[in-house]
Amino acid sequence: MKIVIVGGVAGGASAATRLRRLDENAQIVLFERGEHISYANCGLPYYIGGTIKEREALLVQTPRAMKDKFNIDVRVQSEVTAIDRKNKTVSVTDLRTGKRYDESYDKLILSPGAAPVRPPIPGIEQEGIFTLRTVPDTDAIKEAVDKGKPSEALVVGGGFIGLEMAENLHSRGIKVTIVEAADQVMAPIDYEMACIVHRHILSKGLKLYLKDGVKAFRKEGKRVKVELQSGKLLAADMVILAIGVRPDVSLAKDAGLEIGERRGIKVNSYLQTSDPDIYAVGDAIEVKDFINGSDTVIPLAGPANKQGRIAANNIYGAGEQYHGTQGTSVVKVFDLTVAATGNSEKTLKRMGMDYRKSYTESDSHAGYYPGASPLNIKLLFAPDGKVLGAQAVGYEGVDKRIDVLASAIRFGRTVYDLEELELAYAPPYSSAKDPVNMAGYVAANCLKGDMEIIHWDQVDQLDRDKVFILDVRPPEETSTGSIEGAVNIPLNDLRARIDEVPRDKEIVVYCKVGLRAYIAYRMLVQKGFRNVKNLSGGYQLYQAVKQAEEALK
């Protein structure tokens, strides 16, 4: 059998090596229009920043290694320009010589990836404006930083690449400004969790403009002037465009293959396109959202690698299905780690799905062991308890918690299962009640009726004439701020001062993160108070949103 693969990196390269493991006698040809067939996309910003010292460390596989180890015919700087489905050939142009030729195939795998979005903004082709997707892109940016010695940089876009580039340019001593058209950075997480990130970014001395896009670029001397939609004028020595990526579907579209509503190549669960002899994988394809079943485009390396393997298996008759992408992701933002899996609240609302949510803040490991830091988890779950999504922000241990929650989602588990999980514990690593267990306990309490909750975004709408807001923190904690109109009765004094709490009003009780308020809640309801709610996430989350919004005014 002869299999032709268009595009390397995660999907194409993993398909090629899997094919060889399945069939020693197959003829496998991999075309890549760039110079490199497999490189670490996610490591590119860290090479620019200097954390990764050697450029060669970014190159996962080379054509020589693929030939020697797997006997794969790798042809770099070779662009496939057309597919003749009837005759089962592809047209190829050797970009070094200009030679054109046809290559036959029995099965074809498309892995063309995605291209950085470059909207038609006036002046966008000016010198000093960069995108980051490939090794040559990286080389160009690194040269501009190393030789040009820029003092100021502007990053357009607050997604993964934008934030990673902002951090790495900042680590090179460059003043960085981030411009994001949405009201938050990091689209996979929800607004209130992003506010924690906003506050941290600002604490590092970066400038952050939200709800403001770029209207025009113009060159003035060696600097780039940037006009925002709001009319603000900014200037920088270099600009990084990190607006996002778009599936590269031109080859598939020209061949008459079906393109989905989200502008990705349409594939079935076996990763076959509308032509059963042509498979497609990676950033160019539409996948099923694992939670809600809708068609979506999620450009992540992990799913692309899995898809490459599955496509190879199915070419040899495995009948293996790809069950969808849940979007598990993690990113380092200076000292913070930000992670998400499953659907966000924004997505659940857009899809019209019934859901509940809760917030917890736990120590990353046992509080009595030095170095414990706060770890915030937002849990989204169905009325029957099934976990639909999770987000985590913290300084330590975020990645392992999101991985546990991602596994729970993949296997259809509930918040009640999170309560029962037996997770590794030693004081330097966790607590006897792991943050994941705690998230499960709180969510389960809500569903079982042990606790009614209210959320940060409902507080300012409360009618103070009808609602009694009870702050159960000790007085010294209230010096950091409090909710307007709240009455402070410390938890330890509440039993003795219970008569100060009115029985004819709704009671909203809060503490720093919600645990002491839960104790107060249980006390109040057992003493006959009938309309009590606990502020989920506590004052800490409410304050994080308010502080971030105030700082960005």
Side-chain angles (χ1 to χ4, degrees):
M1 186 184 293
K2 182 177 181 180
I3 303 110
V4 168
I5 303 170
V6 180
V9 195
S14 64
T17 55
R18 178 62 177 169
L19 286 165
R20 177 57 72 219
R21 293 194 295 274
L22 293 172
D23 186 354
E24 179 60 25
N25 299 313
Q27 184 180 355
I28 305 169
V29 183
L30 190 155
F31 292 105
E32 169 56 53
R33 66 184 162 203
E35 296 180 38
H36 309 283
I37 56 165
S38 185
Y39 56 90
N41 302 66
C42 301
L44 302 181
Y46 299 99
Y47 172 62
I48 294 168
T51 300
I52 297 173
K53 303 296 183 184
E54 301 298 329
R55 182 178 182 275
E56 290 69 26
L58 301 171
L59 307 179
V60 180
Q61 286 281 7
T62 64
R64 172 56 67 120
M66 290 282 272
K67 179 66 176 176
D68 292 346
K69 187 180 293 185
F70 298 104
N71 191 27
I72 292 170
D73 182 359
V74 176
R75 305 179 196 177
V76 296
Q77 293 186 276
S78 297
E79 183 174 10
V80 174
T81 57
I83 302 169
D84 183 341
R85 292 165 54 196
K86 181 179 179 181
N87 295 307
K88 300 184 80 169
T89 62
V90 295
S91 300
V92 186
T93 299
D94 186 324
L95 299 177
R96 292 165 295 192
T97 66
K99 176 185 175 182
R100 298 179 181 179
Y101 62 95
D102 292 337
E103 191 76 31
S104 64
Y105 66 84
D106 295 312
K107 300 289 183 181
L108 177 64
I109 300 177
L110 301 179
S111 180
V117 173
R118 291 183 71 95
I121 299 172
I124 198 168
E125 301 301 330
Q126 298 277 0
E127 182 184 357
I129 301 175
F130 303 88
T131 57
L132 179 61
R133 183 69 178 174
T134 66
V135 174
D137 293 339
T138 308
D139 292 337
I141 296 172
K142 194 166 190 306
E143 182 179 16
V145 173
D146 291 346
K147 295 183 179 180
K149 307 293 184 185
S151 60
E152 293 184 85
L154 188 143
V155 176
V156 184
F160 291 91
I161 294 297
L163 294 184
E164 288 171 346
M165 279 304 306
E167 177 181 348
N168 280 282
L169 291 173
H170 181 269
S171 73
R172 296 288 304 266
I174 301 169
K175 294 179 181 178
V176 179
T177 297
I178 302 171
V179 174
E180 169 56 57
D183 64 352
Q184 64 167 89
V185 300
M186 287 296 297
I189 65 175
D190 289 313
Y191 174 77
E192 68 277 17
M193 300 298 279
C195 282
I196 302 172
V197 183
H198 298 162
R199 192 171 61 175
H200 186 66
I201 290 170
L202 294 170
S203 76
K204 296 296 180 179
L206 282 74
K207 293 180 180 178
L208 178 60
Y209 293 92
L210 300 174
K211 295 188 287 187
D212 209 350
V214 175
K215 184 177 182 180
F217 298 103
R218 68 176 184 270
K219 193 78 171 174
E220 288 193 6
K222 294 184 177 181
R223 307 256 293 168
V224 179
K225 294 285 186 178
V226 184
E227 181 183 356
L228 302 186
Q229 295 291 344
S230 63
K232 290 187 179 74
L233 289 174
L234 307 175
D237 301 303
M238 66 185 304
V239 173
I240 307 293
L241 292 178
I243 303 171
V245 296
R246 182 178 292 122
D248 187 347
V249 300
S250 56
L251 184 64
K253 187 176 181 180
D254 291 345
L257 299 177
E258 186 178 355
I259 305 300
E261 293 183 0
R262 300 299 303 274
R263 299 181 66 184
I265 301 171
K266 191 81 171 176
V267 294
N268 63 18
S269 61
Y270 302 100
L271 300 173
Q272 290 170 300
T273 67
S274 51
D275 184 327
D277 288 325
I278 303 178
Y279 294 74
V281 301
D283 295 354
I285 71 171
E286 286 191 6
V287 295
K288 291 293 182 185
D289 185 300
F290 185 77
I291 304 299
N292 61 58
S294 67
D295 293 328
T296 187
V297 176
I298 303 178
L300 291 171
N305 273 285
K306 295 174 183 68
Q307 292 157 12
R309 179 184 177 90
I310 291 171
N313 290 347
N314 288 339
I315 284 174
Y316 282 92
E320 188 176 333
Q321 296 187 61
Y322 183 72
H323 295 292
T325 302
Q326 66 192 69
T328 304
S329 56
V330 63
V331 64
K332 178 180 179 293
V333 184
F334 294 94
D335 305 322
L336 281 181
T337 300
V338 184
T341 187
N343 280 180
S344 65
E345 185 175 2
K346 297 189 294 282
T347 300
L348 293 171
K349 281 183 177 178
R350 188 176 71 248
M351 300 303 299
M353 295 179 67
D354 194 5
Y355 70 93
R356 306 289 185 270
K357 62 181 178 180
S358 64
Y359 303 90
T360 51
E361 182 183 298
S362 309
D363 283 338
S364 56
H365 60 249
Y368 60 82
Y369 187 89
S373 58
L375 194 159
N376 292 272
I377 293 177
K378 178 179 183 178
L379 198 62
L380 295 144
F381 46 97
D384 64 0
K386 185 178 180 181
V387 183
L388 303 174
Q391 300 158 33
V393 179
Y395 297 86
E396 179 187 72
V398 169
D399 52 342
K400 71 175 182 175
R401 272 62 185 226
I402 213 70
D403 283 344
V404 171
L405 292 163
S407 299
I409 290 173
R410 179 59 59 163
F411 297 113
R413 309 317 295 181
T414 69
V415 298
Y416 308 112
D417 295 310
L418 301 183
E419 292 183 286
E420 296 183 16
L421 284 176
E422 184 178 332
L423 302 172
Y425 161 58
Y429 304 107
S430 184
S431 299
K433 294 178 181 178
D434 187 85
V436 172
N437 297 132
M438 293 301 297
Y441 293 142
V442 171
N445 282 342
C446 295
L447 292 179
K448 289 185 291 189
D450 290 342
M451 178 176 62
E452 293 289 331
I453 58 175
I454 189 172
H455 296 294
W456 66 272
D457 53 349
Q458 298 172 286
V459 171
D460 291 345
Q461 282 72 52
L462 294 173
D463 185 341
R464 299 305 199 265
D465 293 330
K466 298 178 180 179
V467 179
F468 183 79
I469 303 175
L470 175 60
D471 181 344
V472 296
R473 297 174 296 166
E476 59 269 22
E477 281 189 38
T478 65
S479 63
T480 63
S482 61
I483 294 173
E484 183 182 355
V487 174
N488 180 226
I489 305 177
L491 175 62
N492 293 350
D493 300 337
L494 185 56
R495 286 183 182 87
R497 298 173 59 184
I498 199 78
D499 290 340
E500 297 178 34
V501 181
R503 292 181 178 271
D504 60 346
K505 290 186 176 184
E506 178 183 349
I507 311 299
V508 171
V509 58
Y510 75 91
C511 62
K512 182 179 179 182
V513 300
L515 177 57
R516 289 168 294 178
Y518 170 60
I519 297 169
Y521 174 97
R522 295 303 303 164
M523 183 193 307
L524 289 167
V525 297
Q526 291 177 81
K527 288 185 176 292
F529 291 83
R530 293 290 175 242
N531 193 1
V532 186
K533 291 184 175 66
N534 181 5
L535 177 59
S536 186
Y539 182 71
Q540 190 95 322
L541 179 62
Y542 176 83
Q543 184 186 44
V545 175
K546 295 299 181 182
Q547 286 182 342
E549 290 178 341
E550 183 64 30
L552 288 166
K553 283 183 179 179

